[in-house]
Amino acid sequence: MHCPDCGGDVVAFAVPPAIREHAPADEAAICVDCLAVHPVTDLDASTEETADATIPADADFSALDPACPGGRAGVAFALALGKLDSLALNREAITELLEYAETAGADVFLALDRLQAPAADVDLDRRAAQLRELL
């Protein structure tokens, strides 16, 4: 599966019920290059094998960065990353998602500091500083 925005590889994940209100769908995916989050149904499945693949319940986000949290914490972190393009519009959702990720055991600022996304539409260093002030 590939990102419809930039064509990059994606990491698909199932969204826990507690944070579904902040997700585009029950099953979503984050692009490892531009950090866009899309419903799985909107993605380009380039082969029959990926089109029929099941979405893991316990997603591994190490394709984004080895420091990225996995599981429920990783899902919340990924959804928050997808909302960083507009901190003003998504402030409440980002706050809830990062708090959920921290409660699930993630060090969100360490993961954000280490994250490298060459095609991201946002300056991750600047957003990390803004989030530190926000939280």
Side-chain angles (χ1 to χ4, degrees), residues 10-37:
V10 298
V11 176
F13 52 90
V15 181
I19 55 175
R20 279 203 183 128
E21 69 183 282
H22 302 300
D26 292 351
E27 294 179 336
I30 186 169
C31 176
V32 299
D33 293 329
C34 71
L35 302 180
V37 175

Side-chain angles (χ1 to χ4, degrees), residues 28-131:
I30 186 169
C31 176
V32 299
D33 293 329
C34 71
L35 302 180
V37 175
H38 297 282
V40 168
T41 55
D42 290 355
L43 301 178
D44 169 32
S46 59
T47 67
E48 188 174 313
E49 179 181 311
T50 57
D52 294 335
T54 57
I55 305 303
D58 192 26
D60 175 13
F61 293 94
S62 61
L64 282 173
D65 189 274
C68 283
R72 295 179 305 120
V75 170
F77 183 71
L79 291 173
L81 290 175
K83 295 184 178 298
L84 290 179
D85 61 331
S86 179
L87 194 56
L89 293 176
N90 298 316
R91 179 180 180 164
E92 184 178 332
I94 292 168
T95 301
E96 288 178 25
L97 289 165
L98 293 181
E99 287 174 354
Y100 182 91
E102 285 182 338
T103 301
D107 184 339
V108 295
F109 289 110
L110 176 65
L112 193 57
D113 287 343
R114 291 184 177 175
L115 185 62
Q116 298 295 315
D121 289 336
V122 298
D123 179 346
L124 293 174
D125 292 332
R126 184 170 173 216
R127 284 295 193 251
Q130 291 170 328
L131 287 172

